[in-house]
Amino acid sequence: MKFLKTILLILFTVLSLSLSAEKINVRIYADKQIKEASFVSSFGRYTIKLGEQEISIQKTDIVKIKAKSEKLELLINDSLIGNYKTINFLTQGLMNFFLLSPKENGVPERRYDDNLLVSNEKGHLKLINNIEIESYIAGVVQAETWGATKNVDFFKLQAICVRNYLFMNLNKHQKDGYHMCDGVHCQAYKGRCNQVEVIQGAHNSKGEVIVDSMGNLIETLFHANSGGQTVNSEDVWKNAFSHLTGKQDTFSVGMKAYEWEKYIRLRDWRNYFREKGVNIKDDSVKNELINFSQKEGRKKTMLGVPLVQIRKDFALRSTLFDIQLWGSEVKLSGKGYGHGVGMSQEGAINMCDQGYEYWQVLEFYYTGAKIKRIDEEKILN
Ligand SMILES: [Zn+2]
């Protein structure tokens, strides 16, 4: 019953919000070598297009595709239909999704919305999910969201960030014949979204992107929690952006990932800095090693070593920490989780829960940025 209710709610959302829908091509299982997969229609109606020929399939049909040297072998309920160059699973309705199960060990089966286009790439299956933009965005938001909330406004924010990335990188895989891959190379995408609030967030923000004062799409970086102070982009990477400047962020204070602690043996701590060329015999260095503090504000280095490097080497949650001597160890008392640049997800959840509008949250975390409406259809065609 719960499944049916969710389906109906999602269907209603999709029906009421997506009257015109543009589709993009996303390569799925991009980092896997798949030789055989089965397709089952989960919801809606599918037909298989084989060049000029068309076959309609029933919900109970199990369709198998195997990569055979140059071609693809098609079987329906284990009877051989034939060998083809491309096999496309197409649908017309407003809401359709299918289950795709690769045969390879350890490769998970997943559900996807809309169409599936299959071809043979050097003896393996090249699987392309031809999917409506907003459904793809919802899938990415669900795969990437950190922390739990049901606030639709927060998912709108996340959807806008995903859409920005998509439209800034539409040509990233042009030479490969699709728009995005499903790995972290582009944006992690693990199939269809099944959380109603996320789907609403994606559809309710259809066509909305975030731009700088010149009207250009911006890099919308985010992290889990800023620790109360966001970071300049140039302090983490080499480029400075006017919309990615560090600022006070009281909205992240006290949230779930606000604080952390880590203990490191004093000997290891000293050796680490010695190996970095620091003279640990020096009295002021000895003092800094056990009393380093960022209470007066975020710093970029400790004893000349970049904090981003220290964070990486000790697998710390963030670069915002103070140090105290704790017996034979040093205690790192840290704040925040992630690189700290751009939007703090927990801070954004807190702002949405406090009643701020989603555009106010974006304008807070991305200094000088504004929401702009784009015509997705025009850009894609
Ligand atoms: Zn990619």
Side-chain angles (χ1 to χ4, degrees):
M1 265 318 279
K2 192 166 174 260
F3 176 72
L4 190 66
K5 219 176 119 189
T6 308
I7 292 284
L8 285 173
L9 201 54
I10 293 172
L11 188 60
F12 179 74
T13 303
V14 175
L15 274 173
S16 57
L17 298 163
S18 68
L19 292 170
S20 75
E22 281 307 308
K23 290 194 173 75
I24 55 161
N25 290 328
V26 183
R27 174 134 193 200
I28 55 175
Y29 296 102
D31 58 350
K32 299 276 187 283
Q33 302 255 297
I34 295 168
K35 277 190 174 297
E36 182 179 337
S38 66
F39 172 105
V40 176
S41 155
S42 306
F43 195 90
R45 288 185 75 84
Y46 280 89
T47 54
I48 309 179
K49 198 145 173 35
L50 307 157
E52 294 296 297
Q53 196 190 344
E54 249 182 57
I55 306 173
S56 31
I57 45 171
Q58 306 299 316
K59 276 217 175 61
T60 48
D61 289 339
I62 298 172
V63 185
K64 272 189 198 149
I65 318 151
K66 298 181 187 178
K68 289 274 158 91
S69 60
E70 307 261 284
K71 290 207 162 183
L72 301 166
E73 190 177 273
L74 176 69
L75 299 104
I76 300 182
N77 302 320
D78 287 326
S79 19
L80 180 67
I81 307 297
N83 289 283
Y84 307 91
K85 258 189 126 78
T86 57
I87 298 176
N88 296 334
F89 296 83
L90 304 179
T91 183
Q92 242 104 57
L94 270 165
M95 184 174 165
N96 306 273
F97 58 92
F98 59 87
L99 175 69
L100 190 66
S101 316
K103 207 188 164 207
E104 276 69 14
N105 276 338
V107 182
E109 58 176 30
R110 291 188 182 134
R111 287 186 170 76
Y112 290 91
D113 289 299
D114 302 337
N115 304 322
L116 176 70
L117 319 176
V118 191
S119 56
N120 187 322
E121 188 183 72
K122 295 175 194 144
H124 291 95
L125 300 180
K126 183 177 182 184
L127 302 157
I128 304 279
N129 184 196
N130 172 249
I131 179 174
E132 193 209 322
I133 290 178
E134 270 57 49
S135 301
Y136 162 72
I137 289 173
V140 174
V141 171
Q142 187 164 11
E144 287 193 341
T145 296
W146 186 95
T149 177
K150 287 194 177 289
N151 195 315
V152 173
D153 270 348
F154 172 70
F155 292 122
K156 258 188 187 179
L157 289 169
Q158 293 291 101
I160 293 169
C161 292
V162 171
R163 190 178 293 108
N164 255 51
Y165 183 92
L166 171 66
F167 282 97
M168 280 178 91
N169 295 281
L170 263 184
N171 298 325
K172 202 168 174 179
H173 282 288
Q174 198 170 30
K175 64 169 184 358
D176 309 313
Y178 48 90
H179 296 102
M180 293 268 116
C181 72
D182 66 350
V184 289
H185 172 259
C186 288
Q187 307 194 90
Y189 167 60
K190 293 171 184 158
R192 75 182 305 271
C193 173
N194 55 17
Q195 192 181 335
V196 180
E197 296 83 9
V198 178
I199 295 172
Q200 284 174 332
H203 285 272
N204 287 351
S205 65
K206 185 177 164 65
E208 288 181 56
V209 289
I210 176 159
V211 294
D212 63 15
S213 54
M214 310 288 285
N216 300 314
L217 288 167
I218 60 165
E219 197 112 27
T220 51
L221 296 162
F222 53 86
H223 55 274
N225 187 308
S226 73
Q229 212 182 336
T230 67
V231 184
N232 297 316
S233 63
E234 67 270 28
D235 295 348
V236 180
W237 303 286
K238 48 180 190 294
N239 296 332
F241 294 96
S242 62
H243 68 281
L244 297 175
T245 48
K247 58 158 70 175
Q248 288 298 315
D249 168 26
T250 54
F251 299 105
S252 292
V253 176
M255 300 297 283
K256 208 171 141 220
Y258 175 57
E259 287 177 302
W260 57 267
E261 277 178 9
K262 182 154 182 156
Y263 295 85
I264 298 167
R265 282 196 300 186
L266 183 59
R267 202 178 57 200
D268 296 344
W269 189 238
R270 278 197 190 123
N271 285 343
Y272 173 77
F273 285 93
R274 198 187 57 213
E275 279 163 21
K276 295 277 176 205
V278 178
N279 176 14
I280 59 161
K281 298 239 164 73
D282 184 277
D283 281 343
S284 67
V285 170
K286 276 184 192 165
N287 178 55
E288 187 79 343
L289 278 170
I290 52 171
N291 288 305
F292 174 79
S293 170
Q294 300 188 70
K295 288 206 168 65
E296 306 294 316
R298 276 189 182 264
K299 291 180 179 167
K300 289 184 209 174
T301 59
M302 179 184 161
L303 293 168
V305 182
L307 288 172
V308 285
Q309 188 62 47
I310 299 173
R311 176 181 178 223
K312 200 173 152 215
D313 293 338
F314 287 94
L316 307 177
R317 283 191 173 190
S318 70
T319 56
L320 185 58
F321 57 84
D322 296 334
I323 296 167
Q324 277 173 284
L325 186 62
W326 209 261
S328 62
E329 296 178 307
V330 285
K331 176 185 175 185
L332 280 67
S333 308
K335 289 195 165 66
Y337 199 157
H339 54 60
V341 180
M343 182 166 74
S344 157
Q345 288 185 307
E346 284 195 338
I349 291 174
N350 192 8
M351 285 184 85
C352 292
D353 288 346
Q354 285 188 33
Y356 285 92
E357 297 287 339
Y358 69 102
W359 55 266
Q360 290 177 308
V361 181
L362 283 176
E363 289 180 10
F364 173 73
Y365 284 110
Y366 302 115
T367 314
K370 293 262 173 273
I371 299 273
K372 184 186 160 187
R373 208 166 252 288
I374 53 163
D375 187 340
E376 294 179 344
E377 195 182 336
K378 228 174 166 177
I379 294 174
L380 278 162
N381 297 322

